[in-house]
Amino acid sequence: MKRGALGRAALASVCTAWLVYGCGDAGEGEAQGEHTAAAHDHAAREGGDAPLADRSVYQLADPWVQANGEAFRLAQLRGHPVLVLLFYGTCEHACPILVHDLQRLDAALDPEQRVAVRYLLVSFDPERDTPERLAAYAREHGLDPPRWTLLHGDPDQIRALALVLGIRYRPTGDGGFSHTSRITLLDREGVVRAQIDGLERPQEPLLTPLRAMFAARDDAASP
Amino acid sequence: MALVLALAGRVAGEVLQEGEAPPGGMLRVAGGEYVPFYPVRGEGNVSVAPFDLDATPVTNAAFLEFARAHPAWRRSRASPLFVDAAYLSHWVGDLDLGDAARGNQPVTFVSYFAAVAYCRSAGKRLPTEAEWEWAALATPEGGESPSEVTQRILAFYARPRGDLAAVGTTPANRWGIHDLHGLIWEWVEDFNASFASADNRQDRDLELGRFCGGASVGAEDVKDYAAFMRFGFRASLEARYALHHLGFRCARSLQ
């Protein structure tokens, strides 16, 4: 009954929900509702006109900072299949392998698919992974824009993204992070479609739904 | 002062309170250091700075006011990305507690995201796991022995839960904080920090040494079953979950 009420009419308020979450100001009344509705419109314009799907990760509307120093909203990825990895730059073992896993997956795609796919790498470590450091990391690993996006955020923002992706992590006290080694496939609307955990895993669980997305679009495009 | 009873760890020291008085409904918890129930590799004791903590969990009545002011967090509107289907399911409607939920009971059936949004709207945040465990180490006024306290907590964990009592009806601890034990389970900010192992090369991110049963070697005090239950419970949670006996209270850093 109440789930059924979560129709499109409710979606306009979803970003409002997130902005309440994402801002520490207390005591706003209706004025905040107007403010966040405007922010929602802005986000919607950036990512497309239709309201976000009710499970879209892009409801996390707070802006991040890209490696080039510019602001970035997740909704800017709308329209692209996206592979998401949470990582940190000083990670010596798991993260480089996971990045390599993404590159291996990319190599398995057809050239026209490769053009459309986006890779999103979000750092657990806002202190050390400054945008400048992320830019250097991208250069070292050949992660070129616009297909590869590396993001710096604040701790609350990182935790929220990790939680919607089901990723657990904590600082280990020696500058590292314990974390779930997970690659997530988002569809063109930012909805989680597949995940694999672990390093150097077979990639069919990601490649099969990813290829299916392209096949569905090809079908829709043909007469 | 340092000879406080240990429930989920051992107290190693304390620092005195400081700063201006806590806002209404909150109490100051002095900072301190304790031996964690699950020691982290490469780290010694857990150090907690002084902070303010709500004296009681957030009530149905208070959460109702929040839902009134923030329509996006009403039951019918909250995104399924942030709440599961049980969110506020003990209420009759979006803004109607009905007969089954009373205003002075702790609000339960709230997701992590909803709890965080509530605390943010009040200029607060959720307590960290370290802060919560530190506050919960403090004994009730009146001086029970550690084993008596543990027994009382275990009795609470074991009791089938029917109707929830009003907040503030369990004995206050030495900070004046109520209901840390004996009423509900509570969200903590970093609940998802439990049970990950460092930069792992394994398929799974679980560190088996943390589990109860045959491999609980990571625990500081393997007889502290109550702490096992809390850490295990947190590790089983997902942020969307809204559960019958899971609520929250807010904390605040001192400036």
Side-chain angles (χ1 to χ4, degrees), chain A residues 63-65 122-123 125-127 129 134 151-158:
Chain A
W64 301 74
V65 181
V122 179
S123 170
D125 188 358
E127 251 177 65
D129 285 341
L134 291 176
L151 295 183
H152 164 97
D154 68 44
D156 292 340
Q157 208 174 6
I158 295 161

Side-chain angles (χ1 to χ4, degrees), chain A residues 22 39 79 133 155 191 214:
Chain A
R133 294 279 287 272
V191 177
F214 286 111

Side-chain angles (χ1 to χ4, degrees), chain A residues 2 6 13 18 21 24 26 54-56 59 91 93-94 156 159 163 167-170 172-173 178-180 201, chain B residues 41 43 72 77-79 81-82 85 112 116 120-121 189 192-193 196 198-201 203 205 210 235 237:
Chain A
K2 65 200 178 58
L6 262 171
S13 58
W18 191 253
Y21 179 103
D54 66 4
R55 287 180 186 271
S56 174
Q59 292 170 79
C91 165
H93 303 300
D156 292 340
R159 186 174 303 283
L163 287 171
I167 291 171
R168 293 178 176 267
Y169 68 99
R170 69 157 182 271
T172 51
S178 309
H179 59 93
T180 313
R201 305 298 301 161
Chain B
R41 240 192 329 266
E43 275 203 345
R77 299 213 202 166
S79 166
L81 191 69
F82 302 136
Y112 172 88
V116 168
R120 292 281 166 82
S121 76
E189 182 179 74
N192 74 326
D199 194 15
N200 75 83
R201 289 167 172 273
D203 293 350
D205 62 315
R210 290 172 162 263
L237 293 172

Side-chain angles (χ1 to χ4, degrees), chain B residues 133-159:
Chain B
E133 290 288 332
W134 167 247
L137 278 176
T139 48
E141 289 160 349
E144 295 165 276
S145 75
S147 61
E148 283 170 337
V149 175
T150 300
Q151 283 309 313
R152 195 165 48 76
I153 296 169
L154 286 172
F156 156 63
Y157 286 174
R159 198 158 56 230

Side-chain angles (χ1 to χ4, degrees), chain A residues 59-72:
Chain A
Q59 292 170 79
L60 303 179
D62 291 343
W64 301 74
V65 181
Q66 302 181 67
N68 66 7
E70 291 176 12
F72 187 89

Side-chain angles (χ1 to χ4, degrees), chain B residues 17-23 25-30 49-55 124-125 127 131 177 250-255:
Chain B
Q17 307 182 25
E18 56 187 39
E20 87 283 22
M26 302 192 96
L27 291 166
R28 182 73 35 90
V29 177
F51 65 104
D52 291 336
L53 188 63
D54 286 348
K124 304 177 189 176
R125 58 176 172 78
E131 287 171 338
I177 310 283
C250 306
R252 195 186 74 121
S253 303
L254 305 189
Q255 293 312 315

Side-chain angles (χ1 to χ4, degrees), chain A residues 1-3 5-6 10 13-14 16-18 20-30 32 54-60 88 91-95 97 156 159-160 162-164 167-173 177-181 197-199 201, chain B residues 40-43 66 68-70 72-73 75-89 112-113 116-117 120-123 189-205 207 210 234-240:
Chain A
M1 147 207 79
K2 65 200 178 58
R3 276 313 89 180
L6 262 171
S13 58
V14 158
T16 311
W18 191 253
V20 169
Y21 179 103
C23 94
D25 297 338
E28 312 92 331
E30 289 310 306
Q32 168 159 9
D54 66 4
R55 287 180 186 271
S56 174
V57 169
Y58 302 157
Q59 292 170 79
L60 303 179
Y88 63 103
C91 165
E92 291 178 358
H93 303 300
C95 308
I97 297 173
D156 292 340
R159 186 174 303 283
L163 287 171
V164 299
I167 291 171
R168 293 178 176 267
Y169 68 99
R170 69 157 182 271
T172 51
F177 288 81
S178 309
H179 59 93
T180 313
S181 296
D197 288 350
L199 312 176
R201 305 298 301 161
Chain B
V40 175
R41 240 192 329 266
E43 275 203 345
F66 169 73
R68 217 185 284 286
H70 300 283
W73 286 104
R75 181 172 95 168
S76 66
R77 299 213 202 166
S79 166
L81 191 69
F82 302 136
V83 302
D84 73 12
Y87 179 57
L88 297 178
S89 56
Y112 172 88
F113 291 114
V116 168
R120 292 281 166 82
S121 76
E189 182 179 74
D190 51 346
F191 79 94
N192 74 326
S194 290
F195 293 81
S197 64
D199 194 15
N200 75 83
R201 289 167 172 273
Q202 279 73 50
D203 293 350
R204 301 290 308 149
D205 62 315
E207 194 175 272
R210 290 172 162 263
R234 284 179 197 134
S236 74
L237 293 172
E238 295 199 17
R240 301 169 61 239

Side-chain angles (χ1 to χ4, degrees), chain B residues 87-101:
Chain B
Y87 179 57
L88 297 178
S89 56
H90 61 318
W91 293 6
V92 166
D94 268 3
L95 299 173
D96 184 359
L97 299 186
D99 296 330

